[in-house]
Amino acid sequence: MQFLKNSLIVLLALLVITSGCARKPSLIMGDYFIIVKNGTPQCSIVIPENCIPSVKYASEELQKFIKEMSGAELPIITDSSPVQSKEIILGKSKRLEKIDYKIDWENLGEEGYNLLVTKDNIIIAGGEPRGTLYGVYGILDDHLGCRWFTPTVSRIPKMDTIALPAMNEIFIPPLEYREPFTMDGFIDGDWCARNRANGNTCRLEEKHGGKITYYGFVHTFDSLVPPEKYFDTHPEYFSMVDGKRIKERTQLCCTNEEVIQLVIEEVKKRMREHPEAKVFSVSQNDWGNFCQCPKCSELATAEDSQMGPLLYLVNSVARAVRDEFPDKVIDTLAYQWSRKPPKTMRPEPNVIIRLCSIECCFAHPFESCVSKQNRDFVKDVEGWSQICNRLWVWDYVTSFSHYLVPFPNLEVRAPNIRFFVKHNVTGIFEQDTYTTFHGEFNELSAYLNAKLLWDPNYDDKLAISEFVDAFYEDAGPYIMEYLKLIHKPIQKRELHMNIWVGPNGKHITPEMLKQAEIIFDKAENAVADKPEVLERVKVARLSIDYTIMERARKRDMDLKMKNEDPTMIPRAKRFFEIAERNNVTQYRESNGSIADYKKIIEEWLGTTL
């Protein structure tokens, strides 16, 4: 795609279209700041003499991409140098003292930024530690058209002259925590920073301004009070189920005061030993068996929710640590049996409730889906939004039983994230394929999630089309046709899709698979002379090969038949060759080794692949 070639008219058109939640409109005042003219630098980048690493890195990133765009290398100087006639001023610079413009640093928080452009200066003043770096990416992405689709595929426009109109823009991200949890994204810190993701698993370093760091990410009861250490001498610390204390797959007795003290001591120890962490998890184990002892049951009944006893424990810990650790917070899950908000109890201000959508239908937006699961979830979101100081969400965007099955939920990402933000959610964890590379459209999924988590009002259709155009090049129109094909069935309100859906899901039909085969044949032919792009198309096709193989294998197993389809062996060979060549190591979340799956397919086909 031809994009922004040496044309100020095209550039200015792009500048006017600035998406932004909490962003003030650009003020076009008739003056322009010229960054580069005819391939020659027109200004310097100024950083504070003793700036933090992320501001220094911001200057290097700005210099790097301006040079990549225009061939011109802007000099980087410190604010102890003489004032230049034209400057791009980054961070909390002494230069700002000489400019009659007030910046509300407190309002910007850790990640917001103020972008001011006049004919003499560009000021990118961001909160610390990440705001100024994000402001630089704001100029490069929002105003100059740079895109970082994957760690290896980007679009950096080429132009001899780079100019910005006068503007005053403030952007404060509506979500304080943004985690697109897929290996194809979080493995690369530069990609995460450029797309302004700040999650716990993102490979972000000090130069990126760090990240939101957890200690004990989730399901921490067993590590806080280990049953193998305490159960034999203190069974009362653990769940009573059907009148008996249990050791295996247990939870904590959340109203036991000795348990509360043990958890407090352990959390304080963790906070002292891990000063880099901001969020400390006190959360239930990943199974049922909540405590049914008289005290826990009485509180659960009074609050009409099993969250009652859990929040009793969590609030006790939060109160005990807040004076010594005012900058740290306690995180707990509202998950399955604890999801429902309590009637009268309220989380302490230093408690994060992380609400999980695991039971839902993911084919339709939460708010408009007619399934009972989604109606109940919406009710719980609304309930928590009214009583919770900090509400975060754990959302799901893949099939965890079948990473490679078609899972058409790209179209619900934007409405769901906007629904959350509308209901006071300030952090979102989007759980995708995370134990392997190249689940179904993982690269696209990671990019789309990152764009929407940073700016929920971003045009999701634009994000998808730009990504597909850049990543699949001449095969892009066919990939878009395929995405439309798999999303069409779920437009039916009565067709629902959970996160364990498999190859025989109702949204997949034999006719769809036949059409998909034709589309992918055309896509491969379109890029046959581009080996790297062709390989990306073949990776996308793994989803169809997997689905066709699994549907046939399941049918043969049910009918106790042997495979009689001569196309299956070459299909299986193609599937495993491409998967192994591209480091696809898992086909499902648990016990899902591709090597083991190959043995299953070989046994079914009666041959060695």
Side-chain angles (χ1 to χ4, degrees):
M1 180 172 65
Q2 299 292 318
F3 193 82
L4 294 180
K5 292 189 71 176
N6 305 330
S7 172
L8 260 173
I9 295 175
V10 176
L11 173 60
L12 294 177
L14 177 69
L15 295 174
V16 175
I17 307 171
T18 54
S19 142
C21 180
R23 175 181 288 143
K24 293 182 179 179
S26 298
L27 305 176
I28 308 300
M29 296 178 280
D31 294 323
Y32 300 93
F33 185 94
I34 310 299
I35 299 173
V36 176
K37 185 176 182 180
N38 297 327
T40 302
Q42 301 296 299
C43 60
S44 299
I45 301 171
V46 182
I47 59 175
E49 187 171 20
N50 297 308
C51 64
I52 62 175
S54 64
V55 174
K56 182 175 185 296
Y57 185 63
S59 70
E60 295 165 352
E61 287 283 88
L62 183 59
Q63 181 189 62
K64 168 186 170 70
F65 288 109
I66 292 295
K67 183 176 182 180
E68 191 170 338
M69 294 170 72
S70 66
E73 184 169 299
L74 304 182
I76 299 173
I77 62 175
T78 70
D79 58 5
S80 61
S81 303
V83 175
Q84 310 291 303
S85 59
K86 304 285 184 181
E87 294 184 331
I88 302 176
I89 302 168
L90 303 187
K92 295 182 176 180
S93 172
K94 289 186 290 186
R95 292 281 205 269
L96 299 179
E97 298 171 4
K98 302 177 182 179
I99 299 173
D100 187 21
Y101 183 73
K102 301 297 182 183
I103 295 170
D104 188 346
W105 297 104
E106 184 177 353
N107 182 54
L108 295 178
E110 296 182 350
E111 299 183 327
Y113 62 82
N114 193 161
L115 168 60
L116 178 69
V117 181
T118 70
K119 64 180 181 179
D120 298 317
N121 297 110
I122 295 177
I123 296 171
I124 308 174
E128 295 183 351
R130 292 179 288 278
T132 297
L133 179 60
Y134 288 166
V136 163
Y137 294 135
I139 280 189
L140 293 170
D141 184 331
D142 302 336
H143 295 294
L144 296 179
C146 294
R147 301 287 188 269
W148 299 278
F149 298 111
T150 75
T152 59
V153 178
S154 60
R155 184 190 71 195
I156 309 302
K158 305 300 180 186
M159 56 184 77
D160 291 333
T161 295
I162 304 175
L164 290 175
M167 69 178 77
N168 187 359
E169 176 181 295
I170 295 174
F171 188 85
I172 300 169
L175 294 170
E176 61 180 326
Y177 166 68
R178 306 172 299 278
E179 185 144 19
F181 189 59
T182 178
M183 188 176 288
D184 294 272
F186 66 59
I187 200 72
D188 187 274
D190 287 344
W191 179 89
C192 291
R194 290 165 185 164
N195 287 289
R196 291 170 277 191
N198 66 0
N200 180 71
T201 51
C202 296
R203 306 302 198 261
L204 293 164
E205 303 172 16
E206 188 179 18
K207 68 177 183 178
H208 300 119
K211 58 186 178 180
I212 303 297
T213 302
Y214 269 80
Y215 187 81
F217 186 63
V218 72
H219 303 312
T220 55
F221 271 10
D222 272 6
S223 65
L224 290 165
V225 183
E228 62 272 15
K229 179 178 179 180
Y230 290 103
F231 185 85
D232 291 346
T233 54
H234 291 282
E236 71 276 12
Y237 289 177
F238 302 95
S239 291
M240 174 181 287
V241 178
D242 296 331
K244 182 180 179 181
R245 300 286 179 175
I246 61 171
K247 183 176 183 180
E248 303 299 325
R249 296 178 68 84
T250 190
Q251 306 286 351
L252 295 180
C253 179
C254 294
T255 59
N256 183 298
E257 297 300 330
E258 291 183 19
V259 168
I260 292 171
Q261 287 307 309
L262 286 173
V263 174
I264 289 170
E265 291 167 11
E266 179 60 26
V267 169
K268 284 186 174 182
K269 177 174 177 287
R270 294 178 177 192
M271 289 180 170
R272 295 181 186 115
E273 292 178 350
H274 298 275
E276 77 287 353
K278 181 176 182 177
V279 186
F280 291 79
S281 173
V282 178
S283 57
Q284 67 203 61
N285 296 323
D286 196 10
W287 47 74
N289 293 335
F290 52 81
C291 185
Q292 301 169 7
C293 77
K295 190 173 180 181
C296 286
S297 295
E298 181 181 3
L299 186 52
T301 299
E303 294 296 330
D304 194 26
S305 172
Q306 288 297 331
M307 176 54 76
L310 175 58
L311 193 57
Y312 181 82
L313 165 64
V314 170
N315 276 347
S316 298
V317 176
R319 288 190 293 269
V321 303
R322 64 187 174 198
D323 290 341
E324 184 177 352
F325 303 99
D327 60 330
K328 302 190 185 301
V329 291
I330 303 299
D331 171 280
T332 198
L333 296 176
Y335 175 59
Q336 295 183 331
W337 50 267
S338 65
R339 201 185 78 186
K340 187 178 180 181
K343 287 174 63 175
T344 65
M345 296 176 70
R346 300 293 180 262
E348 290 290 329
N350 58 331
V351 167
I352 292 169
I353 296 295
R354 195 149 48 141
L355 180 62
C356 304
S357 61
I358 194 167
E359 299 90 351
C360 289
C361 163
F362 294 89
H364 313 112
F366 294 132
E367 202 167 15
S368 61
C369 183
V370 298
S371 71
K372 183 180 185 305
Q373 291 83 356
N374 285 31
R375 293 200 308 271
D376 289 346
F377 179 69
V378 166
K379 184 178 179 181
D380 287 346
V381 171
E382 292 170 345
W384 279 112
S385 72
Q386 295 171 20
I387 68 172
C388 193
N389 183 59
R390 294 175 85 169
L391 179 60
W392 291 5
V393 163
W394 184 308
D395 195 24
Y396 306 81
V397 292
T398 190
S399 171
F400 293 93
S401 296
H402 299 273
Y403 279 158
L404 293 168
V405 79
F407 193 80
N409 84 325
L410 293 174
E411 295 177 357
V412 308
R413 307 287 177 87
N416 281 349
I417 289 172
R418 291 167 192 158
F419 164 71
F420 290 140
V421 171
K422 183 175 71 174
H423 287 86
N424 303 323
V425 171
T426 60
I428 299 178
F429 173 84
E430 294 284 6
Q431 187 175 7
D432 206 329
T433 303
Y434 67 98
T435 59
T436 182
F437 291 102
H438 305 304
E440 189 233 11
F441 285 109
N442 269 179
E443 297 94 340
L444 170 57
S445 180
Y447 177 73
L448 177 63
N449 283 340
K451 298 297 281 187
L452 291 170
L453 291 176
W454 172 252
D455 182 356
N457 286 332
Y458 196 84
D459 186 339
D460 54 319
K461 292 180 176 61
L462 176 66
I464 293 170
S465 63
E466 286 189 339
F467 180 97
V468 170
D469 181 66
F471 195 68
Y472 296 105
E473 297 187 13
D474 291 339
Y478 301 107
I479 298 299
M480 290 297 289
E481 183 181 355
Y482 171 73
L483 291 175
K484 183 177 179 181
L485 173 71
I486 64 173
H487 279 79
K488 185 176 180 180
I490 61 171
Q491 293 172 3
K492 299 177 181 178
R493 287 163 56 86
E494 70 277 6
L495 198 160
H496 304 294
M497 183 178 72
N498 63 30
I499 61 167
W500 298 280
V501 69
N504 287 302
K506 293 180 180 179
H507 65 293
I508 302 172
T509 65
E511 181 58 32
M512 174 196 288
L513 296 172
K514 288 178 184 177
Q515 292 182 51
E517 292 268 77
I518 294 170
I519 292 170
F520 273 106
D521 284 344
K522 292 178 180 179
E524 290 186 15
N525 288 335
V527 291
D529 60 343
K530 298 179 178 180
E532 187 174 356
V533 182
L534 176 60
E535 192 71 2
R536 295 174 197 154
V537 174
K538 289 181 176 180
V539 168
R541 190 172 191 159
L542 289 174
S543 180
I544 297 303
D545 282 339
Y546 174 80
T547 301
I548 290 173
M549 284 194 305
E550 276 299 282
R551 286 168 72 97
R553 187 178 72 86
K554 180 68 164 57
R555 178 202 62 212
D556 288 352
M557 288 176 59
D558 290 346
L559 297 176
K560 296 181 172 55
M561 295 171 53
K562 293 183 179 180
N563 173 63
E564 296 180 355
D565 185 343
T567 69
M568 283 299 162
I569 291 177
R571 185 184 299 278
K573 286 182 177 179
R574 177 175 70 187
F575 174 85
F576 288 107
E577 286 172 1
I578 295 169
E580 291 164 3
R581 192 162 65 229
N582 288 277
N583 200 26
V584 180
T585 59
Q586 302 286 315
Y587 70 101
R588 66 185 183 206
E589 183 182 30
S590 301
N591 303 315
S593 162
I594 281 286
D596 291 341
Y597 181 60
K598 187 175 184 180
K599 294 175 183 176
I600 292 170
I601 295 298
E602 286 176 336
E603 182 178 356
W604 167 52
L605 296 176
T607 187
T608 300
L609 298 172

